[in-house]
Amino acid sequence: MRADIITMAGKDNEDDDGDIGVALDVKPKTKRPPLYKVLILNDDFTPMEFVVMVLERFFSMTNAQAYDIMLTVHKKGVAVVGVFSHEIAETKVAQVMDYAQRHQHPLQCTMEKE
């Protein structure tokens, strides 16, 4: 939204007190959309290699990055694998869950507001 107030100086456009208007350019402040953390949760059945493959495939991690995250999930029970806009986070969670189910693994992936 843009608001422009322009008053031309002149006999017909002068206020009663003699002031002359000034052009203002007001720009609204926009808020950034909220971000969401995508989390991978540990389970006792999904192979570690599968988790590494999921991280490489859906989160564009290198093998070393994916291995480190997989170890964090294994040791701590959960790890943040990325922070995204709502739509992207939702898509990533759906992709991981669908892929895990198709390969008959109980891997869980969730999202929460940052």
Side-chain angles (χ1 to χ4, degrees), residues 16 18 29 31-32 36 74-77 86 99 109:
D16 291 337
K29 293 185 181 182
K31 288 173 54 176
R32 289 182 177 259
Y36 291 80
H74 181 68
K75 291 175 184 175
K76 295 186 177 181
H86 185 269
Y99 192 73
C109 184

Side-chain angles (χ1 to χ4, degrees), residues 2 5 39 46 52 70-71 73 83 99 103 112:
R2 185 177 158 177
I5 302 172
L39 310 161
T46 304
V52 170
M70 177 275 299
L71 285 178
V73 171
V83 179
Y99 192 73
H103 289 85
E112 65 182 38

Side-chain angles (χ1 to χ4, degrees), residues 15 19 22 29 66 89:
D15 293 339
D19 289 339
V22 178
K29 293 185 181 182

Side-chain angles (χ1 to χ4, degrees), residues 34-37 80 82-84 112-114:
L35 296 177
Y36 291 80
K37 298 184 284 190
V80 175
V83 179
F84 308 97
E112 65 182 38
K113 200 169 188 176
E114 187 175 47

Side-chain angles (χ1 to χ4, degrees), residues 33-86:
L35 296 177
Y36 291 80
K37 298 184 284 190
V38 175
L39 310 161
I40 295 280
L41 299 137
N42 189 40
D43 65 72
D44 294 331
F45 304 102
T46 304
M48 293 178 177
E49 296 80 18
F50 184 79
V51 176
V52 170
M53 183 182 58
V54 163
L55 295 171
E56 290 172 346
R57 181 178 185 144
F58 296 106
F59 298 95
S60 303
M61 293 184 185
T62 65
N63 186 265
Q65 291 169 326
Y67 189 80
D68 287 344
I69 295 287
M70 177 275 299
L71 285 178
T72 301
V73 171
H74 181 68
K75 291 175 184 175
K76 295 186 177 181
V78 65
V80 175
V81 296
V83 179
F84 308 97
S85 68
H86 185 269

